Amino acid sequence: MTTFHIEFQPIGRHWPCQKGISLLEAAREAGLQLVADCGGAGTCGRCRVKIIEGQVSPPTSEESLLLSAADLDSGVRLACQTRVLGDLVVHIPPQSIVASQRLQITGADEGAIVLDPAVTRRTVELLPPDLSDLRPDWQRLSETLALAPNSCDGRANLAVLREASPSLREHGWKVAVFIRGREIVGVSGPEAPCWGVAVDLGTTKMAGYLMDLTSGEILAADGVMNPQISYGEDVMSRIEYANRAPENATELSKVVVDSLNDRIIQLCERQNGNPASVKEIVIAGNTAMHHLCTGLSVAQLGAAPYVPAISQPIDLLASDLGLKASPGAYAHFLPNIAGFVGGDHVAMILATGLQDLPGPVMGIDIGTNTEVALAHQGQLFTCSCASGPAFEGAHIHHGMRAASGAIERVRLNGSSIEVATIDDVPAVGICGSGILDAVATLVRAGILSAPGRMDQDHPLVREGDHGGLEAPLCAGKEEEIVVTQKDIREIQLAKGAIRTGIESLLQEAGIDFNDLREIIIAGAFGNYIDPASAVAIGLFPPLPLGRFRQVGNSAGAGAKRVLISRAQRAEAARIALKASYLELMSLPHFSQLFAESMFLSPDPIGQR
Amino acid sequence: MTTFHIEFQPIGRHWPCQKGISLLEAAREAGLQLVADCGGAGTCGRCRVKIIEGQVSPPTSEESLLLSAADLDSGVRLACQTRVLGDLVVHIPPQSIVASQRLQITGADEGAIVLDPAVTRRTVELLPPDLSDLRPDWQRLSETLALAPNSCDGRANLAVLREASPSLREHGWKVAVFIRGREIVGVSGPEAPCWGVAVDLGTTKMAGYLMDLTSGEILAADGVMNPQISYGEDVMSRIEYANRAPENATELSKVVVDSLNDRIIQLCERQNGNPASVKEIVIAGNTAMHHLCTGLSVAQLGAAPYVPAISQPIDLLASDLGLKASPGAYAHFLPNIAGFVGGDHVAMILATGLQDLPGPVMGIDIGTNTEVALAHQGQLFTCSCASGPAFEGAHIHHGMRAASGAIERVRLNGSSIEVATIDDVPAVGICGSGILDAVATLVRAGILSAPGRMDQDHPLVREGDHGGLEAPLCAGKEEEIVVTQKDIREIQLAKGAIRTGIESLLQEAGIDFNDLREIIIAGAFGNYIDPASAVAIGLFPPLPLGRFRQVGNSAGAGAKRVLISRAQRAEAARIALKASYLELMSLPHFSQLFAESMFLSPDPIGQR
C-alpha cells in the first residue's frame, strides 16, 4: 500500500499515512485533533486547513457550499473532505485545532454542555440619585438587579465596591453588571465582554483557553511549558524544593502565576482585549500544582501519608493570587481527591463522563504519577501509582523526551527490529512510546523472559560497554540506540506500579479485568502509546484492543466545561466527593501484587 | 465656698473643684470618666487613682477592704471614696479611665451586654492522618469542629487555608481554632489569645480599644489625632483633596491605615502581644471616613445629592485593607445611614439606646457636620446639618481648638464679663464652648439682639480695628480676646443649621420640642458645652436643663458593643435600616426655617 508523508504546519509534525485517507483521519493518526462538530460529514465547515504543497482530491460539493471560491483558490479545504494523493505540506489554522479536545472525548464535546457559566452579564440602566431618591449606589444597583439588598452579606468584594460608583457615573448609569450567584463581581461599560479563562495546569505543560461566557465559544488557546520545570521535572522534587525554605514555595508560586498571567494577557490580546474582560478563571491541576499555585503548604504532600491541605473546590479572588483578571473576578480550583489524585484527574473523569458510562470503565492518566479511576455500579474508585519518569524517558539509558529524533515506534520485522523516529530523522534517543514498543518487541521476539531477564544467547543481545546486557535497536546506524537490562528494570517498575493500581481497583470493586467495558487512556503520553505494546508487556490487562480509547489531554476539556457550566462544576465536586481513594501502600498484599505486576506478560497476576 | 485646683495626670488636665467633693465627681466635672461599675458605692474597686500631692480624706473602710496596705501607703485610693481637702495632683492609671465610656452612657455600659462576639475560640485536638484516615487537613478540622464540610463554600479565606496545615503540625494537632459564623478565621497554638480591636474613626480623632473577646474585657485603649487632618480639617476638604487625583485618595487611605496599624501594634504591645492575636476589628466612622479608609470612591460624596457608595454593614478581610491583624481576621464596618450620617452616628444611637428609650428622644452629635436623630413611636428620623467648623473655633476671629489658654467659659458677673480658660492660664483665644458661652452672655447682657446685631451704643461694645463692631471678653488683660460681629454671624449660621435640623425632625415626626423627654448630646464638643448657653442662643430648644444629657464620645462605646456582641451588631444594622434620612435641602420650607433658626433666642421658630 502506498504511504505518503504529511508535514503539518505550524506544529511541525511529520506523519506517514496511507494513500486515499482523509486529512481529518491523517491528522487524527498524527495525534492532531481537528474541530469536526459534524463528525466528518462535511456539513459543519469547521475543519478548515490549507494545502501548501502536494496533491489532494478535488473539492467536493460540500466544500463548494461551505468555502468561498477565493478560499478554494488559495488552497483552503475541509480536512474531512480532502483525501491524500501524495506527499503533503498542510497548514492547520489555530481555529481548526484548538478545540480539538472535543473530538477526543466521546460524547463529551463542549457543544453538548448547556451554557450556564458561574458569571453572567446583565446590562442595566439605573435611575440616577436625586434629592427624592438618595439610595446608596450599591443598594440602587442591587435593587435594580432585584438581588437581595444584602447581597454583599459575608465578605464584601472590595474591588467591585471600589469600581462600582465611578463606573456607574462614567457610563451614565447604563452598565454591564457581572453576576456570580448572588454576588456582583464587576460593573463595567455596557459593551464590556464577559470572558473566562480555563487552565489545565500540568506538571510539565500548562494550557490556557479563553472563552466567551456569553456564547461558550473558545476564542483562543495557548500552551507552554510549566516554568516550574526548572525547579524539578516531577512534582516530588518541586515539593522538596518548596519545603526547603518558605521563599522557595513563594518562588514556585510566583513563576507559575507569572506564566499564567502571560498566557491570560496573550490570549486576550489575540482578541484585541485585555484581562479586565476576564470575569472568571477555572484551574485544574494535580494536588501539588493546586497547592503550589494557591500558596498552600506542600510540606504534608512531601511525606507519608501525603494528605492534601484541602480537597474541596475553592473559589479565590484572582487578585488574591496575583492573577490578572477583572478586579472582582474569582479563580475556581477544581477539587482534589487525594494527595496525588488532583483536580486534573477530576477534570479528566468529568470530560470523559467516566462516572456515568454504563458498565465498569477504567480511566488511566499516565505520567510521572499515574492516576487510575474505576467506575462501577455507581461507585468511583481511584488510586495513584508512583510510576516514575521512565515513560518520559528519564532513567533510561538512551531515553529522551518526545522530540525530533526520538524513537517513537519499534516493530519486529521478521527477525530484525525496525524503528520510526519523530520527524523521520536519524535516531538520537528513545521516548516513552518507543521504549514501551521496544520492550514489547523484545518480549515478542523472545529476547525478554516474563521476569524481565534478557536472553544473553539471543543474537540481538550483547554485552554492553556499560556492563550488563543490552539490545541495540538500530544496529549499524550512525547512532546506536540500545535498550539495556537496567532500562528493562525501570520499565518493569513503572509498568508494575501502574498495573498494581489497575489490579487493586479491580479487586476493590470485586471485578475481573475482563469485565471492563472500556479503558480510557488520557494524557499526552497515553495518546501516543500503542495499546498493543502496553498489553504485550502487561502494562494494561489483555483486553481486545477495541476496548482501549485514547483521549489525549482531557484535563483541559474538563476545565473548559467547568468554566462554562455550573452544572459541570457541581458535577466535578460530586465526582471528588464520590470518589473513594485507595491508598495502595495500605493494602495487605501490596508487595506481592507489585512483584507480580512487574512480570512482562499480558496477565502477570497470580504468576508467582 | 472654698475652691481647690486639681491637676489630673498623665492627661494634664487642670480643673477647679469644690472642697469636699469626691475625686470621682471632680474627675467627672473635668470631663474624665472613671470606671465605676458600682456607681460610686465603693464596692467595685475599679476607680483606683493615686494621690501624688495634696490633702484628701482618710481611707474609708471600703477602701481598706479593696486596696492592699501597700497600695494605700503608696497613695493609691478609690476616687469615689476620696474627698478633696486641698489642691491636688492626682494620677489616673489607664485602667481606671479607658473604660470611662461606660458611665457616660446611661443604662448602656458594656457590662449589660451579653458577650457574644463574632469570633469565638475553640481548642480542639485532632487525630493526625494516617494510612487508614487520609482526610485532607481542612476537612479533618471542619469535621472535628462539626462545621459543615463545605464550610469554605463561597470565597475561601486563603490566609487561613495557608496557615492551617503548618499550624496543625507545629502544635501537634492541638490548636485553638477561631470561628466566625460558619467560617474558620484562624488556626493557632492552643494558648493563642482571642483579641479584638474596636475603632472610633473620627474626622479629628481616632480611638482604639483592645478587647479580650473571650471575656469582653477592655485590655487597653489609645487615642490619637486622625493624621488625615493634615489634608484638611473637615471631611469636605478631604473629599475634595481625594477627588483631585486617584493617588490622593490612596494617600488618605494609607495614612489612616498606617495610623490604625500603629494603634493596633501599641495596644497589643501593652499586653505583651502582637497583632496576630487580633481576630476581629470593628470600625465606626462617618461615611467619608468609612469610604476613605476602605478606599471607596468619595467623588459622589463631594457633590449633590451626596450619596454613599454603600451603606449596609460590610465585612472585609483586614489584610485587604492593609490592617495588621491575624491573617484571616475581618474588619467589620458599621453601616452608614446617608452621605453625611455615618457609622459613628449609628454607634452613638446604639450606645445610648436612643432607639429604644421611651418617649420622643433626640440625639445630637455636634461637629463640623452635626448629625441629629429623633426616636419617636418606634420610628427613627435622622438628618445632617452643615454646621461648619465655627464651634471648633474655625472662622472665629480669636477662635482656637480646646487647648491650654482657650477661653472655655464666659459668664456675666453683674455688668462685667468673666472668663475661664483651659489650664487657668492667660487667655490666648476662645474655643467652641467659650464662644457659645460668649454669645449667650452677650444676649443675656442685652448686647446682642435676636437677629444677631450688636448694640453699638452698649458700653461693652466698640469699633474694632478690623472694621465692624466687637465685644472684648477680657478687656485690659495682656491678650485682648474679642467677639466680633462677624463671629456672631458665623455662630448664627452654625447654630441655625443645627436648630433647623432639630426643628425639621420634630416637624417630620409631628411633635413639638416640649414633647421631647430628653436630648442626648454626644461628641467631645457637646460634652463641654453649657446647655444653658445653648438654650439661651436657641441652639437647642428651651427645655428644662434636666432634660439634656451629655454623654461624650459614644461612637467608641458603640463600636465596642459591636465588637463583643453579634446581637448589638445586628442591632446596628437594624438601626441603619430603620433610620429614615431627611434631606434638609429638599424641604420646601428649608430656607425660611433656616433663616428663623439663626435668631438668637431660645424659641426662634416662627419669629419672622
Side-chain angles (χ1 to χ4, degrees), chain A residues 352-376:
Chain A
T352 56
L354 188 71
Q355 78 284 11
D356 293 325
L357 292 177
V361 177
M362 188 167 267
I364 305 178
D365 227 328
I366 301 176
T368 304
N369 197 71
T370 297
E371 299 94 13
V372 187
L374 171 61
H376 177 51

PDB file of all heavy atoms in Angstrom, chain A residues 352-376:
ATOM      1  N   THR A 352     -14.538  12.894  30.302  1.00  0.00           N
ATOM      2  CA  THR A 352     -14.829  11.626  29.645  1.00  0.00           C
ATOM      3  C   THR A 352     -16.191  11.084  30.055  1.00  0.00           C
ATOM      4  O   THR A 352     -16.686  10.132  29.456  1.00  0.00           O
ATOM      5  CB  THR A 352     -13.766  10.571  30.001  1.00  0.00           C
ATOM      6  OG1 THR A 352     -13.710  10.439  31.425  1.00  0.00           O
ATOM      7  CG2 THR A 352     -12.393  10.982  29.477  1.00  0.00           C
ATOM      8  N   GLY A 353     -16.785  11.674  31.072  1.00  0.00           N
ATOM      9  CA  GLY A 353     -18.061  11.178  31.550  1.00  0.00           C
ATOM     10  C   GLY A 353     -17.935   9.790  32.162  1.00  0.00           C
ATOM     11  O   GLY A 353     -18.924   9.064  32.322  1.00  0.00           O
ATOM     12  N   LEU A 354     -16.702   9.440  32.505  1.00  0.00           N
ATOM     13  CA  LEU A 354     -16.372   8.121  33.044  1.00  0.00           C
ATOM     14  C   LEU A 354     -17.381   7.628  34.076  1.00  0.00           C
ATOM     15  O   LEU A 354     -17.840   6.481  34.038  1.00  0.00           O
ATOM     16  CB  LEU A 354     -14.979   8.231  33.690  1.00  0.00           C
ATOM     17  CG  LEU A 354     -14.303   6.965  34.178  1.00  0.00           C
ATOM     18  CD1 LEU A 354     -13.874   6.126  32.978  1.00  0.00           C
ATOM     19  CD2 LEU A 354     -13.089   7.307  35.030  1.00  0.00           C
ATOM     20  N   GLN A 355     -17.734   8.560  34.989  1.00  0.00           N
ATOM     21  CA  GLN A 355     -18.551   8.140  36.126  1.00  0.00           C
ATOM     22  C   GLN A 355     -19.963   7.752  35.726  1.00  0.00           C
ATOM     23  O   GLN A 355     -20.668   7.105  36.483  1.00  0.00           O
ATOM     24  CB  GLN A 355     -18.561   9.234  37.206  1.00  0.00           C
ATOM     25  CG  GLN A 355     -19.468  10.423  36.949  1.00  0.00           C
ATOM     26  CD  GLN A 355     -18.930  11.404  35.910  1.00  0.00           C
ATOM     27  OE1 GLN A 355     -17.965  11.132  35.200  1.00  0.00           O
ATOM     28  NE2 GLN A 355     -19.566  12.550  35.800  1.00  0.00           N
ATOM     29  N   ASP A 356     -20.368   8.172  34.514  1.00  0.00           N
ATOM     30  CA  ASP A 356     -21.742   7.891  34.097  1.00  0.00           C
ATOM     31  C   ASP A 356     -21.830   6.849  32.987  1.00  0.00           C
ATOM     32  O   ASP A 356     -22.934   6.514  32.541  1.00  0.00           O
ATOM     33  CB  ASP A 356     -22.409   9.190  33.608  1.00  0.00           C
ATOM     34  CG  ASP A 356     -22.601  10.172  34.745  1.00  0.00           C
ATOM     35  OD1 ASP A 356     -22.867   9.711  35.878  1.00  0.00           O
ATOM     36  OD2 ASP A 356     -22.475  11.378  34.511  1.00  0.00           O
ATOM     37  N   LEU A 357     -20.688   6.366  32.522  1.00  0.00           N
ATOM     38  CA  LEU A 357     -20.723   5.403  31.424  1.00  0.00           C
ATOM     39  C   LEU A 357     -21.264   4.059  31.926  1.00  0.00           C
ATOM     40  O   LEU A 357     -21.015   3.688  33.074  1.00  0.00           O
ATOM     41  CB  LEU A 357     -19.325   5.219  30.831  1.00  0.00           C
ATOM     42  CG  LEU A 357     -18.759   6.455  30.087  1.00  0.00           C
ATOM     43  CD1 LEU A 357     -17.345   6.184  29.614  1.00  0.00           C
ATOM     44  CD2 LEU A 357     -19.651   6.816  28.913  1.00  0.00           C
ATOM     45  N   PRO A 358     -21.995   3.350  31.073  1.00  0.00           N
ATOM     46  CA  PRO A 358     -22.540   2.061  31.518  1.00  0.00           C
ATOM     47  C   PRO A 358     -21.428   1.025  31.616  1.00  0.00           C
ATOM     48  O   PRO A 358     -20.460   1.053  30.848  1.00  0.00           O
ATOM     49  CB  PRO A 358     -23.528   1.701  30.405  1.00  0.00           C
ATOM     50  CG  PRO A 358     -23.043   2.433  29.197  1.00  0.00           C
ATOM     51  CD  PRO A 358     -22.351   3.672  29.670  1.00  0.00           C
ATOM     52  N   GLY A 359     -21.556   0.143  32.556  1.00  0.00           N
ATOM     53  CA  GLY A 359     -20.588  -0.946  32.703  1.00  0.00           C
ATOM     54  C   GLY A 359     -19.322  -0.458  33.380  1.00  0.00           C
ATOM     55  O   GLY A 359     -19.067   0.732  33.457  1.00  0.00           O
ATOM     56  N   PRO A 360     -18.525  -1.361  33.864  1.00  0.00           N
ATOM     57  CA  PRO A 360     -17.281  -0.956  34.508  1.00  0.00           C
ATOM     58  C   PRO A 360     -16.351  -0.310  33.482  1.00  0.00           C
ATOM     59  O   PRO A 360     -16.110  -0.870  32.415  1.00  0.00           O
ATOM     60  CB  PRO A 360     -16.679  -2.270  35.022  1.00  0.00           C
ATOM     61  CG  PRO A 360     -17.767  -3.293  34.921  1.00  0.00           C
ATOM     62  CD  PRO A 360     -18.688  -2.823  33.835  1.00  0.00           C
ATOM     63  N   VAL A 361     -15.893   0.892  33.789  1.00  0.00           N
ATOM     64  CA  VAL A 361     -14.984   1.617  32.895  1.00  0.00           C
ATOM     65  C   VAL A 361     -13.816   2.118  33.724  1.00  0.00           C
ATOM     66  O   VAL A 361     -13.997   2.557  34.861  1.00  0.00           O
ATOM     67  CB  VAL A 361     -15.683   2.807  32.221  1.00  0.00           C
ATOM     68  CG1 VAL A 361     -14.697   3.578  31.347  1.00  0.00           C
ATOM     69  CG2 VAL A 361     -16.858   2.338  31.385  1.00  0.00           C
ATOM     70  N   MET A 362     -12.641   2.019  33.145  1.00  0.00           N
ATOM     71  CA  MET A 362     -11.445   2.489  33.831  1.00  0.00           C
ATOM     72  C   MET A 362     -10.861   3.667  33.070  1.00  0.00           C
ATOM     73  O   MET A 362     -10.908   3.724  31.843  1.00  0.00           O
ATOM     74  CB  MET A 362     -10.439   1.344  33.905  1.00  0.00           C
ATOM     75  CG  MET A 362      -9.242   1.649  34.771  1.00  0.00           C
ATOM     76  SD  MET A 362      -8.300   0.123  35.121  1.00  0.00           S
ATOM     77  CE  MET A 362      -9.029  -0.380  36.681  1.00  0.00           C
ATOM     78  N   GLY A 363     -10.334   4.640  33.811  1.00  0.00           N
ATOM     79  CA  GLY A 363      -9.638   5.772  33.209  1.00  0.00           C
ATOM     80  C   GLY A 363      -8.224   5.821  33.757  1.00  0.00           C
ATOM     81  O   GLY A 363      -8.031   5.689  34.971  1.00  0.00           O
ATOM     82  N   ILE A 364      -7.257   5.986  32.884  1.00  0.00           N
ATOM     83  CA  ILE A 364      -5.857   5.980  33.308  1.00  0.00           C
ATOM     84  C   ILE A 364      -5.160   7.212  32.749  1.00  0.00           C
ATOM     85  O   ILE A 364      -5.207   7.476  31.548  1.00  0.00           O
ATOM     86  CB  ILE A 364      -5.129   4.707  32.822  1.00  0.00           C
ATOM     87  CG1 ILE A 364      -5.871   3.449  33.293  1.00  0.00           C
ATOM     88  CG2 ILE A 364      -3.696   4.684  33.321  1.00  0.00           C
ATOM     89  CD1 ILE A 364      -5.245   2.145  32.808  1.00  0.00           C
ATOM     90  N   ASP A 365      -4.542   7.963  33.629  1.00  0.00           N
ATOM     91  CA  ASP A 365      -3.809   9.179  33.268  1.00  0.00           C
ATOM     92  C   ASP A 365      -2.337   8.887  33.529  1.00  0.00           C
ATOM     93  O   ASP A 365      -1.888   8.956  34.670  1.00  0.00           O
ATOM     94  CB  ASP A 365      -4.281  10.307  34.196  1.00  0.00           C
ATOM     95  CG  ASP A 365      -4.597  11.569  33.441  1.00  0.00           C
ATOM     96  OD1 ASP A 365      -3.937  11.814  32.421  1.00  0.00           O
ATOM     97  OD2 ASP A 365      -5.508  12.288  33.886  1.00  0.00           O
ATOM     98  N   ILE A 366      -1.581   8.557  32.478  1.00  0.00           N
ATOM     99  CA  ILE A 366      -0.201   8.127  32.698  1.00  0.00           C
ATOM    100  C   ILE A 366       0.732   9.320  32.767  1.00  0.00           C
ATOM    101  O   ILE A 366       0.696  10.204  31.911  1.00  0.00           O
ATOM    102  CB  ILE A 366       0.260   7.165  31.587  1.00  0.00           C
ATOM    103  CG1 ILE A 366      -0.663   5.936  31.550  1.00  0.00           C
ATOM    104  CG2 ILE A 366       1.704   6.720  31.816  1.00  0.00           C
ATOM    105  CD1 ILE A 366      -0.346   4.982  30.427  1.00  0.00           C
ATOM    106  N   GLY A 367       1.553   9.349  33.783  1.00  0.00           N
ATOM    107  CA  GLY A 367       2.542  10.401  33.938  1.00  0.00           C
ATOM    108  C   GLY A 367       3.579   9.945  34.941  1.00  0.00           C
ATOM    109  O   GLY A 367       3.643   8.757  35.272  1.00  0.00           O
ATOM    110  N   THR A 368       4.383  10.864  35.411  1.00  0.00           N
ATOM    111  CA  THR A 368       5.346  10.527  36.475  1.00  0.00           C
ATOM    112  C   THR A 368       4.581   9.918  37.635  1.00  0.00           C
ATOM    113  O   THR A 368       5.017   8.999  38.302  1.00  0.00           O
ATOM    114  CB  THR A 368       6.055  11.798  36.956  1.00  0.00           C
ATOM    115  OG1 THR A 368       6.641  12.415  35.829  1.00  0.00           O
ATOM    116  CG2 THR A 368       7.110  11.470  37.967  1.00  0.00           C
ATOM    117  N   ASN A 369       3.422  10.514  37.847  1.00  0.00           N
ATOM    118  CA  ASN A 369       2.470   9.923  38.759  1.00  0.00           C
ATOM    119  C   ASN A 369       1.272   9.520  37.902  1.00  0.00           C
ATOM    120  O   ASN A 369       0.792  10.318  37.109  1.00  0.00           O
ATOM    121  CB  ASN A 369       2.043  10.947  39.809  1.00  0.00           C
ATOM    122  CG  ASN A 369       1.396  10.292  40.975  1.00  0.00           C
ATOM    123  OD1 ASN A 369       2.058   9.625  41.759  1.00  0.00           O
ATOM    124  ND2 ASN A 369       0.077  10.455  41.073  1.00  0.00           N
ATOM    125  N   THR A 370       0.823   8.314  38.040  1.00  0.00           N
ATOM    126  CA  THR A 370      -0.278   7.838  37.211  1.00  0.00           C
ATOM    127  C   THR A 370      -1.527   7.683  38.074  1.00  0.00           C
ATOM    128  O   THR A 370      -1.472   7.049  39.127  1.00  0.00           O
ATOM    129  CB  THR A 370       0.088   6.497  36.552  1.00  0.00           C
ATOM    130  OG1 THR A 370       1.206   6.716  35.685  1.00  0.00           O
ATOM    131  CG2 THR A 370      -1.082   5.921  35.766  1.00  0.00           C
ATOM    132  N   GLU A 371      -2.601   8.334  37.639  1.00  0.00           N
ATOM    133  CA  GLU A 371      -3.854   8.191  38.365  1.00  0.00           C
ATOM    134  C   GLU A 371      -4.754   7.206  37.618  1.00  0.00           C
ATOM    135  O   GLU A 371      -4.815   7.232  36.395  1.00  0.00           O
ATOM    136  CB  GLU A 371      -4.573   9.537  38.488  1.00  0.00           C
ATOM    137  CG  GLU A 371      -3.794  10.589  39.244  1.00  0.00           C
ATOM    138  CD  GLU A 371      -2.974  11.487  38.342  1.00  0.00           C
ATOM    139  OE1 GLU A 371      -3.206  11.453  37.113  1.00  0.00           O
ATOM    140  OE2 GLU A 371      -2.082  12.183  38.852  1.00  0.00           O
ATOM    141  N   VAL A 372      -5.422   6.363  38.377  1.00  0.00           N
ATOM    142  CA  VAL A 372      -6.337   5.401  37.788  1.00  0.00           C
ATOM    143  C   VAL A 372      -7.695   5.570  38.464  1.00  0.00           C
ATOM    144  O   VAL A 372      -7.771   5.754  39.689  1.00  0.00           O
ATOM    145  CB  VAL A 372      -5.836   3.956  37.981  1.00  0.00           C
ATOM    146  CG1 VAL A 372      -6.730   2.978  37.214  1.00  0.00           C
ATOM    147  CG2 VAL A 372      -4.390   3.809  37.533  1.00  0.00           C
ATOM    148  N   ALA A 373      -8.750   5.565  37.670  1.00  0.00           N
ATOM    149  CA  ALA A 373     -10.107   5.643  38.211  1.00  0.00           C
ATOM    150  C   ALA A 373     -10.909   4.470  37.663  1.00  0.00           C
ATOM    151  O   ALA A 373     -10.719   4.058  36.512  1.00  0.00           O
ATOM    152  CB  ALA A 373     -10.766   6.956  37.811  1.00  0.00           C
ATOM    153  N   LEU A 374     -11.764   3.934  38.478  1.00  0.00           N
ATOM    154  CA  LEU A 374     -12.627   2.839  38.042  1.00  0.00           C
ATOM    155  C   LEU A 374     -14.059   3.160  38.451  1.00  0.00           C
ATOM    156  O   LEU A 374     -14.344   3.358  39.642  1.00  0.00           O
ATOM    157  CB  LEU A 374     -12.185   1.516  38.688  1.00  0.00           C
ATOM    158  CG  LEU A 374     -13.133   0.326  38.487  1.00  0.00           C
ATOM    159  CD1 LEU A 374     -13.287  -0.018  37.000  1.00  0.00           C
ATOM    160  CD2 LEU A 374     -12.630  -0.897  39.263  1.00  0.00           C
ATOM    161  N   ALA A 375     -14.924   3.248  37.434  1.00  0.00           N
ATOM    162  CA  ALA A 375     -16.342   3.480  37.716  1.00  0.00           C
ATOM    163  C   ALA A 375     -17.069   2.151  37.587  1.00  0.00           C
ATOM    164  O   ALA A 375     -16.928   1.446  36.580  1.00  0.00           O
ATOM    165  CB  ALA A 375     -16.917   4.500  36.735  1.00  0.00           C
ATOM    166  N   HIS A 376     -17.813   1.816  38.609  1.00  0.00           N
ATOM    167  CA  HIS A 376     -18.528   0.539  38.586  1.00  0.00           C
ATOM    168  C   HIS A 376     -19.741   0.622  39.494  1.00  0.00           C
ATOM    169  O   HIS A 376     -19.616   0.936  40.678  1.00  0.00           O
ATOM    170  CB  HIS A 376     -17.585  -0.581  39.056  1.00  0.00           C
ATOM    171  CG  HIS A 376     -18.269  -1.923  39.139  1.00  0.00           C
ATOM    172  ND1 HIS A 376     -19.009  -2.449  38.101  1.00  0.00           N
ATOM    173  CD2 HIS A 376     -18.312  -2.847  40.138  1.00  0.00           C
ATOM    174  CE1 HIS A 376     -19.490  -3.639  38.458  1.00  0.00           C
ATOM    175  NE2 HIS A 376     -19.074  -3.893  39.695  1.00  0.00           N
TER     176      HIS A 376
END
